[in-house]
Amino acid sequence: MGLTLENVDWSEIAEGTGATLTMLGFSTLFAVLIGLPIGVILFLTSRGQLLENRAFYSFASIVVNILRSVPFIILMILLIPVTKAIVGTSLGVLGAIPPLVIGAAPFFARLVETSLREVDRGVIEAAQSMGASNWQIVWNVLLPEARSGLIAAITITTVTLVSYTAMSGVIGGGGLGDLAIRYGYQRFQTDVMIVTVVILLVLVQILQSFGDRLVLKFSRK
Amino acid sequence: MIQLRDLKKNYLVQGKTIPALHGIDLKIEKGEIYGIIGHSGAGKSTLIRCINLLERPTSGEVIVDGVELTKLDDQKLQEQRRQVGMIFQHFNLLSSATVGDNVAFPLKLAKRPKAEIRKKVDELLKLVGLEAHRDKFPSQLSGGQKQRVGIARALANDPKVLLCDEATSALDPQTTNSILALLLDINRKLGLTIVLITHEMHVIRSICDRVGVIDGGRIVESGKVLEVFLKPKHPTTQEFVEQVADSTELREAVAHEKATGSRTIARVTFLGEQTYQPILFQTMQETGTVFSILQGTISRMKDTPYGQLVVELEGDEKQSMHAIETLRKRGLEVEVI
């Protein structure tokens, strides 16, 4: 008995794919916009850096760790009231974005902190010797020098978000994950499940190789 | 131009205070090349970093061109730092920017207009001989070329002082010489005051006017390069002199000669024009002294030629002493070993 695709409604698959891409696009965008400054601040306040502040760093670090250690599926449920307050609903594509962002931003912030650590300390010192302000050092030295590391961090975050968007289907988040759960799991339509998994897999492959190519392009070492 | 007064720096390592500089007093004149030589861990890196406050001294004053830096707020300090260029052992160039953008970087930080930046970058690249490499990235350059970019970048804001932090230590001897020649050229063309730290005698001897020997966080000897190195007093200075004059062989030769007879051994020092005149030969001939040379150096420090010969005088002591007196009268420095 070969695999038939009799249960697959391709228009629904297309719609689900569109919803997943929308969630992915917005959540990546906001996770980066929020996570980047947090990562920069974590780096700057860490030991031996320009704005070293142990108390602040420990506090921020603990908050980031807490958000990262809660499993995403639980975080999503915990955040339902927050989500409702921000976008008015906890359902559908719109309702999925806030928990995705809150789940991914701390993760991305840590990756940013790590890539900034890779920047040669001597280059920061050289900029200081030229009379650069801290802001100029962040903007003109740290971010450009860490560029390829940051692109890799965005790629990893986006790929992680692909699996998060699928999970958000559990609480009615829409997209491919939602299809997989409603048809594949609840109605035993294995073919629908397989099609969604294949699409997600292809999506991850495309994102990763695109990211890798960008990293290579911007790498100057 | 630069004045350091009772400069002290302590580091706090695991709750313990480790002193790195014990009260440094130093005065560097406008337009001179001042070298600070010391072994690693002597405090020379800390010292040069205190001049532009990359390291904040624990106490003491840092006065550059009449401004006391330790009392300035952050913004004023950033403005003052533009008057002081710095180059580094590992170049510290932006790897993500081209040669041209690296040189333009300090001008961009100072928010200069674009047209002015372009013009200045052209001039600087020409000065360091890298016009053809403008659009390359640092990873495509050799060490010497990278340091040239570093020098061009350090000169972008027309500083009054250039600090060189082991600027040639990562380079091979030939490249070292070309970078030293460039520094000397800049010093003469632009009247720039240069402060450099190094552990290589060769660097001091090639381009410095004055030198300070640092050991254990203290300046143990300082003065004109010729004076300090022809008559080193402190053991550390003597060690550095031995780097270039192989005196172990001499010591063996002296010991051997002393063991075999009662001869007089003397070190004769020539300076400047004397170096190329036959004073030694003439004197020995006139006094009828037979001599042989055990060891000798004829070289130059920056622009001054000098020679140092260790000679063995044969014959009785009275005659030898007479010869030595005559040499002294003719302006040579003679030390009996």
Side-chain angles (χ1 to χ4, degrees):
Chain A
M1 200 176 80
L3 179 72
T4 57
L5 299 175
E6 53 182 345
N7 298 312
V8 180
D9 176 346
W10 290 104
S11 72
E12 228 175 336
I13 294 282
E15 205 178 304
T17 308
T20 292
L21 289 175
T22 310
M23 284 191 284
L24 197 60
F26 280 104
S27 56
T28 304
L29 177 70
F30 286 110
V32 168
L33 287 180
I34 295 169
L36 188 66
I38 296 176
V40 170
I41 290 168
L42 276 174
F43 172 75
L44 290 178
T45 55
S46 66
R47 210 169 140 173
Q49 299 303 331
L50 297 174
L51 302 174
E52 177 172 347
N53 184 329
R54 286 213 195 163
F56 181 87
Y57 180 79
S58 314
F59 171 75
S61 192
I62 287 171
V63 172
V64 165
N65 288 346
I66 289 173
L67 284 173
R68 283 185 54 202
S69 55
V70 180
F72 180 67
I73 194 146
I74 311 229
L75 185 74
M76 229 165 33
I77 296 164
L78 282 174
L79 285 175
I80 288 176
V82 179
T83 307
K84 276 188 175 158
I86 299 174
V87 292
T89 175
S90 66
L91 296 175
V93 169
L94 199 59
I97 292 174
L100 286 172
V101 172
I102 295 169
F107 172 69
F108 180 65
R110 273 289 185 220
L111 295 177
V112 169
E113 187 194 354
T114 316
S115 16
L116 295 183
R117 268 188 216 296
E118 295 293 310
V119 175
D120 184 359
R121 182 104 189 79
V123 181
I124 299 172
E125 204 172 51
Q128 278 181 300
S129 79
M130 290 174 230
S133 64
N134 290 340
W135 173 248
Q136 284 179 318
I137 288 175
V138 170
W139 198 248
N140 295 307
V141 179
L142 288 174
L143 295 181
E145 285 291 287
R147 194 169 49 189
S148 56
L150 293 175
I151 294 170
I154 294 173
T155 310
I156 296 170
T157 307
T158 313
V159 168
T160 308
L161 275 168
V162 172
S163 72
Y164 283 8
T165 58
M167 261 190 258
S168 74
V170 177
I171 59 159
L176 291 171
D178 183 44
L179 285 184
I181 284 168
R182 280 194 291 129
Y183 295 92
Y185 177 66
Q186 288 164 351
R187 296 188 203 167
F188 303 104
Q189 293 175 351
T190 314
D191 51 353
V192 178
M193 177 94 81
I194 290 173
V195 168
T196 58
V197 168
V198 168
I199 294 175
L200 290 173
L201 208 135
V202 169
L203 185 60
V204 168
Q205 286 298 331
I206 293 173
L207 286 170
Q208 187 66 50
S209 55
F210 180 66
D212 287 348
R213 210 168 287 177
L214 278 184
V215 169
L216 212 64
K217 185 171 178 239
F218 285 114
S219 172
R220 298 289 180 208
K221 295 228 159 147
Chain B
M1 194 66 192
I2 299 172
Q3 204 174 353
L4 305 178
R5 281 200 199 129
D6 197 24
L7 200 70
K8 288 184 182 149
K9 172 76 187 180
N10 297 325
Y11 286 108
L12 206 61
V13 183
Q14 290 168 343
K16 270 189 248 164
T17 307
I18 311 283
L21 298 176
H22 302 263
I24 302 271
D25 285 289
L26 197 62
K27 211 172 164 181
I28 296 167
E29 303 298 335
K30 191 172 162 52
E32 76 172 332
I33 303 185
Y34 194 95
I36 296 162
I37 190 167
H39 295 296
S40 49
K44 56 188 191 299
S45 212
T46 307
L47 177 57
I48 201 164
R49 279 176 161 64
C50 280
I51 299 178
N52 60 1
L53 255 57
L54 281 181
E55 295 269 6
R56 203 162 260 281
T58 311
S59 68
E61 293 180 351
V62 180
I63 302 161
V64 177
D65 200 26
V67 181
E68 219 284 72
L69 297 185
T70 60
K71 293 198 174 67
L72 299 177
D73 62 32
D74 282 357
Q75 208 186 339
K76 285 261 164 56
L77 177 62
Q78 282 159 16
E79 277 165 32
Q80 280 302 316
R81 276 177 175 164
R82 294 191 183 137
Q83 315 271 327
V84 181
M86 189 166 191
I87 57 174
F88 304 86
Q89 180 174 6
H90 298 296
F91 325 120
N92 298 351
L93 302 176
L94 292 165
S95 61
S96 57
T98 61
V99 168
D101 289 341
N102 263 291
V103 177
F105 188 62
L107 297 165
K108 203 169 121 192
L109 293 177
K111 301 191 178 72
R112 298 287 185 75
K114 279 218 170 98
E116 189 197 317
I117 293 181
R118 253 202 103 68
K119 195 168 155 255
K120 188 80 196 171
V121 170
D122 284 339
E123 270 172 42
L124 289 163
L125 288 178
K126 201 170 164 207
L127 179 73
V128 299
L130 288 178
E131 302 104 309
H133 302 278
R134 192 188 185 111
D135 297 321
K136 285 191 180 163
F137 285 91
S139 58
Q140 298 167 290
L141 301 179
S142 70
Q145 289 171 327
K146 282 183 198 167
Q147 196 57 288
R148 282 169 189 271
V149 179
I151 293 171
R153 180 177 72 174
L155 297 177
N157 276 317
D158 298 316
K160 295 167 183 157
V161 176
L162 179 66
L163 305 177
C164 309
D165 180 6
E166 296 271 10
T168 58
S169 301
L171 304 175
D172 63 59
Q174 205 183 342
T175 316
T176 294
N177 286 338
S178 80
I179 293 294
L180 292 177
L182 177 64
L183 289 175
L184 192 58
D185 186 46
I186 289 164
N187 163 257
R188 284 176 179 160
K189 264 192 205 153
L190 312 175
L192 192 71
T193 308
I194 298 181
V195 184
L196 61 86
I197 62 166
T198 183
H199 60 267
E200 297 169 304
M201 250 306 273
H202 172 69
V203 172
I204 302 281
R205 221 167 54 149
S206 308
I207 66 168
C208 293
D209 299 301
R210 288 198 302 146
V211 62
V213 181
I214 187 167
D215 186 43
R218 286 186 180 84
I219 300 275
V220 293
E221 203 164 341
S222 66
K224 289 201 170 133
V225 173
L226 268 173
E227 280 162 21
V228 171
F229 287 127
L230 287 181
K231 281 169 275 175
K233 291 184 195 80
H234 193 271
T236 307
T237 319
Q238 284 163 359
E239 269 175 54
F240 281 114
V241 173
E242 283 182 23
Q243 266 186 17
V244 283
D246 190 7
S247 48
T248 40
E249 265 177 51
L250 173 67
R251 241 178 277 134
E252 279 167 20
V254 170
H256 178 253
E257 291 303 319
K258 282 209 165 142
T260 52
S262 60
R263 290 149 169 169
T264 311
I265 295 170
R267 178 186 279 122
V268 186
T269 304
F270 304 72
L271 267 188
E273 281 309 298
Q274 298 172 339
T275 313
Y276 303 121
Q277 288 164 8
I279 302 175
L280 181 65
F281 179 74
Q282 280 171 357
T283 308
M284 293 305 173
Q285 211 173 28
E286 283 165 29
T287 57
T289 316
V290 178
F291 72 103
S292 55
I293 295 172
L294 298 182
Q295 199 206 32
T297 320
I298 307 277
S299 185
R300 48 173 62 228
M301 295 217 187
K302 201 169 180 180
D303 305 319
T304 316
Y306 73 94
Q308 218 164 31
L309 298 179
V310 177
V311 293
E312 182 191 358
L313 308 180
E314 287 175 19
D316 66 50
E317 209 183 317
K318 203 177 144 204
Q319 193 188 4
S320 298
M321 278 308 159
H322 175 61
I324 287 172
E325 278 313 308
T326 317
L327 285 173
R328 283 184 177 144
K329 265 183 217 147
R330 292 185 174 168
L332 297 188
E333 188 131 350
V334 185
E335 180 195 356
V336 178
I337 305 176

